[in-house]
Amino acid sequence: MNPRLDLYSLQVFLAVLEEGSIAAAAAREHIAPSALSKRLSELERTLDVPLFQRHARGVAPTSAAHALARRARMLLHQTQDLADEIRDYSAGLRGRVRVAANLSSIAQFLPMELRRFMLRHPQVQIDLEESISAGVTRAVAENAADIGVYTQSDDESGLDIYPYHRDVMALVAPAGHPLARHERVAFADTLDYDHVGMHRGSAANYLFTREAAAINRRLRLRFQVTSYDALVSMVRAELGIGIVPVKALSAYTCDELRMITLTDAWARRQLKLCVRSNESLSGAARLLLDHLIAEAAARR
């Protein structure tokens, strides 16, 4: 006989998985820890498989828990889509779309494109979460996001990929820096100087470290930051030079800085959109994906 699963038990199961403890999950779901623990035990009995290993500091998910999590997120998301679609149906298209995006796309393109979409479709709720590119593709593959925006990832299996915008990188230097007098410069010529760069694990960090290693050089990262505004502030304080997306610089005051064109081919990166392959998107997610593809195509 097929096991019968109730949606609320799946919801509290995901809370335990994401919070790492029954107490924290119970607080998040506004349920007594004993009641949550009972639901979890009943779910394990129904599936006839342990989902967590209990220990003094919390719980550790089993491989079965990770397998269940992807399907549970999908089921709960589809259920919410169904409820949104039926509720107030006469008001027009409704829904919730989860977007995971890297910093570069958020700093340059997504804000205005999402604004235009939401003006046309005010009933659609968009949840946006910033992540590194590898985290973006993982979130989409694991059904933690519906649409991903990223530059490069080692694992794109199981995803449908669409081209988005071009991400043009440039060198930013203080006006008094030796490189500031140049209009164009090769990345190799910047390696004699201290850099302010993005944090470890970011696509930019990986790219610049790899390109330096390819010519048997080392990137002299004096400081590592997590945002472009922090990077620009550090460069303005003459603590190093930095490489940033050109369009992101429009958000900052850069009168005392010089933007210098990078001659390297990799300085023009392709941003991408991704969704899970062989899976029907909700009406709202499909509408947003088509909107982003059209916005990018209009700028080419």
Side-chain angles (χ1 to χ4, degrees), residues 7 29 32 48 53 103 123 162 197 201 228 235 242 248 258 263 267 275 298:
L7 296 176
E29 296 298 322
D48 193 27
Q53 295 175 342
L103 177 61
Q123 300 290 339
Y162 304 89
Y228 291 127
V235 173
R258 284 292 313 279
T263 59
V275 297

Side-chain angles (χ1 to χ4, degrees), residues 1-6 9-10 13 34-52 54 62 64 68:
M1 183 175 67
N2 291 329
R4 298 182 64 178
L5 305 176
D6 78 88
S9 292
L10 293 177
F13 153 73
S34 58
L36 190 152
S37 183
K38 181 180 178 182
R39 278 190 173 270
L40 203 57
S41 296
E42 290 173 350
L43 182 60
E44 289 177 320
R45 281 197 299 271
T46 297
L47 297 173
D48 193 27
V49 65
L51 298 173
F52 295 98
R54 278 74 166 173
T62 64
L68 176 62

Side-chain angles (χ1 to χ4, degrees), residues 193-232:
Y193 305 96
D194 289 334
H195 279 242
V196 180
M198 298 303 291
H199 59 95
R200 286 186 179 87
S202 66
N205 182 286
Y206 173 79
L207 172 64
F208 304 149
T209 302
R210 183 195 68 190
E211 292 300 319
I215 54 175
N216 296 317
R217 299 287 301 277
R218 186 176 64 86
L219 182 64
R220 288 167 48 177
L221 274 178
R222 188 177 184 188
F223 296 100
Q224 295 182 69
V225 297
T226 58
S227 65
Y228 291 127
D229 57 342
L231 190 153
V232 171

Side-chain angles (χ1 to χ4, degrees), residues 6 22 51 55 69-71 98 108 118 126 139-140 158-159 174 216 225 227-228 239 253 258 265 268 270 278-279 300:
D6 78 88
I22 290 176
L51 298 173
H55 52 76
R70 182 178 182 277
R71 295 294 184 179
R98 303 163 300 165
Q108 299 181 89
M118 295 174 74
I126 298 175
V140 174
L159 301 177
N216 296 317
V225 297
S227 65
Y228 291 127
L239 295 173
T253 303
R258 284 292 313 279
R268 290 181 58 86
Q270 177 68 62
N278 301 319
E279 183 174 320
R300 291 195 193 109

